[in-house]
Short mmCIF file of all heavy atoms in Angstrom, two decimals:
data_model
loop_
_atom_site.label_atom_id
_atom_site.label_comp_id
_atom_site.label_asym_id
_atom_site.label_seq_id
_atom_site.Cartn_x
_atom_site.Cartn_y
_atom_site.Cartn_z
N SER A 1195 48.52 -62.84 -18.34
CA SER A 1195 47.76 -62.92 -17.12
C SER A 1195 46.61 -63.95 -17.29
O SER A 1195 46.24 -64.26 -18.44
CB SER A 1195 47.19 -61.55 -16.75
OG SER A 1195 46.12 -61.25 -17.67
N PRO A 1196 46.07 -64.44 -16.19
CA PRO A 1196 44.91 -65.30 -16.31
C PRO A 1196 43.77 -64.69 -17.12
O PRO A 1196 43.15 -65.36 -17.94
CB PRO A 1196 44.48 -65.54 -14.87
CG PRO A 1196 45.71 -65.37 -14.07
CD PRO A 1196 46.49 -64.28 -14.79
N SER A 1197 43.51 -63.42 -16.92
CA SER A 1197 42.42 -62.73 -17.67
C SER A 1197 42.68 -62.77 -19.18
O SER A 1197 41.76 -62.90 -19.99
CB SER A 1197 42.25 -61.33 -17.18
OG SER A 1197 41.64 -61.30 -15.93
N GLU A 1198 43.91 -62.58 -19.55
CA GLU A 1198 44.28 -62.58 -21.00
C GLU A 1198 44.03 -63.96 -21.61
O GLU A 1198 43.52 -64.09 -22.73
CB GLU A 1198 45.69 -62.14 -21.19
CG GLU A 1198 45.91 -60.67 -20.91
CD GLU A 1198 47.40 -60.30 -20.94
OE1 GLU A 1198 48.25 -61.09 -20.52
OE2 GLU A 1198 47.67 -59.17 -21.36
N ILE A 1199 44.38 -65.00 -20.86
CA ILE A 1199 44.16 -66.37 -21.34
C ILE A 1199 42.71 -66.70 -21.44
O ILE A 1199 42.27 -67.40 -22.34
CB ILE A 1199 44.94 -67.37 -20.46
CG1 ILE A 1199 46.42 -67.16 -20.61
CG2 ILE A 1199 44.53 -68.81 -20.76
CD1 ILE A 1199 47.28 -67.92 -19.67
N LEU A 1200 41.89 -66.12 -20.56
CA LEU A 1200 40.46 -66.42 -20.51
C LEU A 1200 39.62 -65.43 -21.27
O LEU A 1200 38.39 -65.53 -21.24
CB LEU A 1200 40.02 -66.44 -19.04
CG LEU A 1200 40.59 -67.54 -18.18
CD1 LEU A 1200 40.34 -67.29 -16.73
CD2 LEU A 1200 40.03 -68.92 -18.59
N ASP A 1201 40.20 -64.46 -21.99
CA ASP A 1201 39.41 -63.49 -22.70
C ASP A 1201 38.96 -64.00 -24.08
O ASP A 1201 39.28 -65.11 -24.47
CB ASP A 1201 40.04 -62.11 -22.76
CG ASP A 1201 41.18 -62.00 -23.74
OD1 ASP A 1201 41.35 -62.91 -24.58
OD2 ASP A 1201 41.90 -61.01 -23.68
N GLU A 1202 38.24 -63.21 -24.78
CA GLU A 1202 37.62 -63.65 -26.06
C GLU A 1202 38.63 -63.96 -27.14
O GLU A 1202 38.34 -64.69 -28.11
CB GLU A 1202 36.63 -62.60 -26.57
CG GLU A 1202 37.24 -61.27 -26.84
CD GLU A 1202 36.20 -60.19 -27.02
OE1 GLU A 1202 35.06 -60.37 -26.63
OE2 GLU A 1202 36.57 -59.11 -27.54
N THR A 1203 39.87 -63.49 -27.02
CA THR A 1203 40.89 -63.79 -28.03
C THR A 1203 42.02 -64.58 -27.42
O THR A 1203 43.08 -64.75 -28.03
CB THR A 1203 41.46 -62.50 -28.63
OG1 THR A 1203 42.04 -61.70 -27.60
CG2 THR A 1203 40.39 -61.69 -29.38
N GLY A 1204 41.84 -65.07 -26.19
CA GLY A 1204 42.88 -65.79 -25.49
C GLY A 1204 43.06 -67.25 -25.96
O GLY A 1204 42.38 -67.73 -26.87
N GLN A 1205 44.02 -67.86 -25.34
CA GLN A 1205 44.41 -69.21 -25.72
C GLN A 1205 43.28 -70.22 -25.64
O GLN A 1205 43.11 -71.10 -26.46
CB GLN A 1205 45.60 -69.68 -24.92
CG GLN A 1205 46.86 -68.96 -25.26
CD GLN A 1205 47.99 -69.30 -24.36
OE1 GLN A 1205 47.80 -69.41 -23.15
NE2 GLN A 1205 49.21 -69.41 -24.91
N LEU A 1206 42.43 -70.10 -24.59
CA LEU A 1206 41.35 -71.04 -24.47
C LEU A 1206 40.30 -70.83 -25.51
O LEU A 1206 39.71 -71.78 -26.01
CB LEU A 1206 40.71 -70.97 -23.05
CG LEU A 1206 41.60 -71.56 -21.93
CD1 LEU A 1206 40.83 -71.45 -20.62
CD2 LEU A 1206 41.95 -72.96 -22.21
N ALA A 1207 40.01 -69.57 -25.89
CA ALA A 1207 39.03 -69.34 -26.91
C ALA A 1207 39.53 -69.85 -28.26
O ALA A 1207 38.69 -70.33 -29.06
CB ALA A 1207 38.79 -67.81 -27.02
N ARG A 1208 40.77 -69.84 -28.46
CA ARG A 1208 41.35 -70.38 -29.73
C ARG A 1208 41.40 -71.91 -29.70
O ARG A 1208 41.31 -72.53 -30.75
CB ARG A 1208 42.76 -69.80 -29.98
CG ARG A 1208 42.74 -68.34 -30.29
CD ARG A 1208 44.09 -67.77 -30.78
NE ARG A 1208 45.22 -68.11 -29.93
CZ ARG A 1208 45.70 -67.32 -28.97
NH1 ARG A 1208 45.10 -66.15 -28.75
NH2 ARG A 1208 46.75 -67.62 -28.25
N ALA A 1209 41.51 -72.49 -28.54
CA ALA A 1209 41.68 -73.97 -28.44
C ALA A 1209 40.38 -74.71 -28.22
O ALA A 1209 40.31 -75.91 -28.56
CB ALA A 1209 42.65 -74.27 -27.31
N ILE A 1210 39.37 -74.08 -27.60
CA ILE A 1210 38.15 -74.80 -27.25
C ILE A 1210 36.94 -74.23 -28.05
O ILE A 1210 36.58 -73.07 -27.80
CB ILE A 1210 37.89 -74.69 -25.74
CG1 ILE A 1210 39.04 -75.29 -24.98
CG2 ILE A 1210 36.58 -75.38 -25.44
CD1 ILE A 1210 38.99 -75.08 -23.48
N GLU A 1211 36.43 -74.96 -28.91
CA GLU A 1211 35.28 -74.58 -29.69
C GLU A 1211 34.13 -74.23 -28.75
O GLU A 1211 33.79 -75.05 -27.87
CB GLU A 1211 34.86 -75.62 -30.70
CG GLU A 1211 33.79 -75.21 -31.63
CD GLU A 1211 33.50 -76.25 -32.74
OE1 GLU A 1211 34.42 -77.02 -33.05
OE2 GLU A 1211 32.37 -76.27 -33.17
N GLY A 1212 33.50 -73.09 -28.95
CA GLY A 1212 32.37 -72.69 -28.11
C GLY A 1212 32.76 -72.00 -26.80
O GLY A 1212 31.85 -71.64 -26.05
N PHE A 1213 34.07 -71.86 -26.52
CA PHE A 1213 34.44 -71.18 -25.28
C PHE A 1213 33.96 -69.75 -25.30
O PHE A 1213 34.05 -69.03 -26.30
CB PHE A 1213 35.99 -71.16 -25.17
CG PHE A 1213 36.47 -70.46 -23.93
CD1 PHE A 1213 36.56 -71.12 -22.74
CD2 PHE A 1213 36.89 -69.10 -24.00
CE1 PHE A 1213 36.97 -70.44 -21.57
CE2 PHE A 1213 37.27 -68.46 -22.86
CZ PHE A 1213 37.33 -69.10 -21.65
N ALA A 1214 33.37 -69.34 -24.21
CA ALA A 1214 32.86 -67.96 -24.08
C ALA A 1214 33.52 -67.34 -22.84
O ALA A 1214 33.47 -67.92 -21.75
CB ALA A 1214 31.38 -67.98 -23.96
N PRO A 1215 34.10 -66.13 -22.95
CA PRO A 1215 34.67 -65.48 -21.82
C PRO A 1215 33.59 -65.09 -20.84
O PRO A 1215 32.47 -64.77 -21.23
CB PRO A 1215 35.38 -64.29 -22.42
CG PRO A 1215 34.71 -64.05 -23.71
CD PRO A 1215 34.21 -65.36 -24.19
N ARG A 1216 33.93 -65.09 -19.57
CA ARG A 1216 33.03 -64.71 -18.49
C ARG A 1216 33.74 -63.74 -17.55
O ARG A 1216 34.83 -64.07 -17.04
CB ARG A 1216 32.57 -65.91 -17.75
CG ARG A 1216 31.88 -66.99 -18.63
CD ARG A 1216 31.68 -68.25 -17.87
NE ARG A 1216 31.21 -69.26 -18.79
CZ ARG A 1216 31.48 -70.54 -18.67
NH1 ARG A 1216 32.14 -70.99 -17.65
NH2 ARG A 1216 30.99 -71.41 -19.56
N ALA A 1217 33.11 -62.62 -17.28
CA ALA A 1217 33.79 -61.61 -16.44
C ALA A 1217 34.06 -62.18 -15.03
O ALA A 1217 35.08 -61.94 -14.45
CB ALA A 1217 32.91 -60.37 -16.33
N GLY A 1218 33.11 -62.96 -14.49
CA GLY A 1218 33.26 -63.52 -13.18
C GLY A 1218 34.42 -64.54 -13.12
O GLY A 1218 35.18 -64.57 -12.15
N GLN A 1219 34.60 -65.27 -14.20
CA GLN A 1219 35.67 -66.24 -14.28
C GLN A 1219 37.01 -65.50 -14.31
O GLN A 1219 37.98 -65.87 -13.64
CB GLN A 1219 35.51 -67.06 -15.55
CG GLN A 1219 36.53 -68.12 -15.78
CD GLN A 1219 36.34 -68.86 -17.06
OE1 GLN A 1219 36.28 -68.27 -18.12
NE2 GLN A 1219 36.24 -70.17 -16.99
N GLN A 1220 37.08 -64.44 -15.10
CA GLN A 1220 38.33 -63.67 -15.20
C GLN A 1220 38.68 -63.02 -13.86
O GLN A 1220 39.82 -63.05 -13.43
CB GLN A 1220 38.20 -62.62 -16.29
CG GLN A 1220 38.15 -63.26 -17.69
CD GLN A 1220 37.79 -62.26 -18.75
OE1 GLN A 1220 36.96 -61.39 -18.60
NE2 GLN A 1220 38.46 -62.39 -19.88
N ALA A 1221 37.68 -62.47 -13.20
CA ALA A 1221 37.92 -61.84 -11.89
C ALA A 1221 38.42 -62.87 -10.87
O ALA A 1221 39.32 -62.63 -10.08
CB ALA A 1221 36.69 -61.14 -11.40
N MET A 1222 37.78 -64.02 -10.87
CA MET A 1222 38.15 -65.08 -9.93
C MET A 1222 39.58 -65.57 -10.25
O MET A 1222 40.36 -65.81 -9.34
CB MET A 1222 37.17 -66.25 -9.98
CG MET A 1222 37.41 -67.29 -8.95
SD MET A 1222 36.03 -68.50 -8.96
CE MET A 1222 36.79 -69.82 -8.10
N ALA A 1223 39.89 -65.73 -11.53
CA ALA A 1223 41.23 -66.21 -11.91
C ALA A 1223 42.28 -65.23 -11.43
O ALA A 1223 43.33 -65.62 -11.00
CB ALA A 1223 41.29 -66.43 -13.42
N GLU A 1224 42.01 -63.96 -11.58
CA GLU A 1224 42.97 -62.92 -11.14
C GLU A 1224 43.15 -62.98 -9.59
O GLU A 1224 44.26 -62.89 -9.10
CB GLU A 1224 42.54 -61.55 -11.55
CG GLU A 1224 42.64 -61.28 -13.04
CD GLU A 1224 44.06 -61.34 -13.60
OE1 GLU A 1224 45.00 -60.98 -12.84
OE2 GLU A 1224 44.23 -61.63 -14.78
N ALA A 1225 42.06 -63.20 -8.88
CA ALA A 1225 42.11 -63.30 -7.41
C ALA A 1225 42.90 -64.54 -7.00
O ALA A 1225 43.76 -64.49 -6.07
CB ALA A 1225 40.74 -63.34 -6.81
N VAL A 1226 42.70 -65.67 -7.67
CA VAL A 1226 43.45 -66.88 -7.40
C VAL A 1226 44.93 -66.67 -7.68
O VAL A 1226 45.79 -67.05 -6.94
CB VAL A 1226 42.91 -68.08 -8.22
CG1 VAL A 1226 43.84 -69.28 -8.12
CG2 VAL A 1226 41.52 -68.44 -7.77
N GLY A 1227 45.20 -66.01 -8.79
CA GLY A 1227 46.60 -65.71 -9.15
C GLY A 1227 47.31 -64.85 -8.11
O GLY A 1227 48.45 -65.11 -7.71
N ARG A 1228 46.60 -63.83 -7.61
CA ARG A 1228 47.16 -62.96 -6.55
C ARG A 1228 47.42 -63.77 -5.26
O ARG A 1228 48.45 -63.60 -4.61
CB ARG A 1228 46.25 -61.76 -6.27
CG ARG A 1228 46.32 -60.71 -7.35
CD ARG A 1228 45.60 -59.45 -6.91
NE ARG A 1228 44.18 -59.66 -6.60
CZ ARG A 1228 43.17 -59.66 -7.47
NH1 ARG A 1228 43.43 -59.44 -8.71
NH2 ARG A 1228 41.93 -59.83 -7.08
#
């Protein structure tokens, strides 16, 4: 899911140094996905 990709252990956190998960970002990504 978008939230999984954007969470603290997701693909973006592993690929982008300094990436920090944001609850608002995850909620918005889920809404966009729906």
Side-chain angles (χ1 to χ4, degrees):
S1195 72
S1197 287
E1198 290 172 324
I1199 292 172
L1200 294 167
D1201 74 13
E1202 62 194 16
T1203 60
Q1205 290 173 320
L1206 288 182
R1208 292 191 306 267
I1210 300 172
E1211 187 174 332
F1213 178 84
R1216 303 170 188 150
Q1219 181 183 55
Q1220 292 170 319
M1222 186 173 163
E1224 290 295 333
V1226 170
R1228 286 191 300 274

